[in-house]
Amino acid sequence: QRVFAADMRDRTDSPKTAPKVVLLEQPDAIWLASARLQTPGEYEVDSMRPEPTRAFLRIDDITIARVVLCGDWFALDRLWLDRSRIPAADLEALVAALVSAASAWATARGAFFAWALVAHDDAELTRAFSAIGFNEHYVRDSAATNRRDL
């Protein structure tokens, strides 16, 4: 997996025609149904804190993510996109909307830096994160993919 990072300070970009992102304190039925379609451990980062502050994001039933706080950074993880229903041209706008909502929530709680995981072979998602200002920070080896102690 590729780990992307971005400094969210001084960021004022919000998608012009952003889809509506629902921010949840706990996952709802739609979020949980979508999460069941994920591969276990896929795009997942857990904080070193025993009980990190988390929120759950979704756009209808086509995209979900979780935002996890840890000090001055937050991770956008548990990202799932129903690629069969998302045109490639709309992927960047969906990712930007998720990042914008996650960033607003996280920066209000003191987080300035964002992290996101992208599979090695997901060129479209890599381009989407790069296009909205994320830079590749490092590559996780396959042995670390399912570790819970990052």
Side-chain angles (χ1 to χ4, degrees):
Q1 292 176 329
R2 295 176 176 183
V3 178
F4 283 78
D7 186 338
M8 304 310 281
R9 294 174 291 191
D10 304 322
R11 233 180 131 109
T12 57
D13 59 340
S14 59
K16 308 239 182 312
T17 57
K20 183 181 180 213
V21 177
V22 177
L23 181 69
L24 306 159
E25 288 185 26
Q26 295 294 323
D28 63 6
I30 295 171
W31 197 97
L32 291 170
S34 296
R36 286 187 200 102
L37 301 173
Q38 285 182 306
T39 303
E42 183 180 36
Y43 303 128
E44 187 168 359
V45 171
D46 265 333
S47 159
M48 288 187 261
R49 296 167 70 186
E51 293 186 30
T53 302
R54 296 178 176 151
F56 300 84
L57 307 168
R58 71 173 169 80
I59 299 173
D60 298 321
D61 64 344
I62 61 169
T63 302
I64 64 168
R66 181 177 67 170
V67 56
V68 180
L69 287 181
C70 187
D72 64 352
W73 66 269
F74 69 93
L76 188 65
D77 77 349
R78 299 293 302 269
L79 179 61
W80 176 81
L81 305 115
D82 185 347
R83 300 289 179 92
S84 68
R85 296 171 48 206
I86 302 170
D90 294 346
L91 186 61
E92 183 181 324
L94 289 174
V95 170
L98 288 173
V99 168
S100 181
S103 179
W105 180 84
T107 56
R109 288 157 178 79
F112 305 111
F113 306 100
W115 298 84
L117 295 176
V118 176
H120 287 289
D121 60 349
D122 196 336
E124 290 177 341
L125 197 54
T126 295
R127 278 192 296 277
F129 274 105
S130 294
I132 62 170
F134 279 70
N135 297 306
E136 189 171 309
H137 187 58
Y138 67 92
V139 176
R140 292 173 66 186
D141 64 25
S142 59
T145 300
N146 290 318
R147 282 191 3 211
R148 309 277 303 179
D149 60 344
L150 292 176

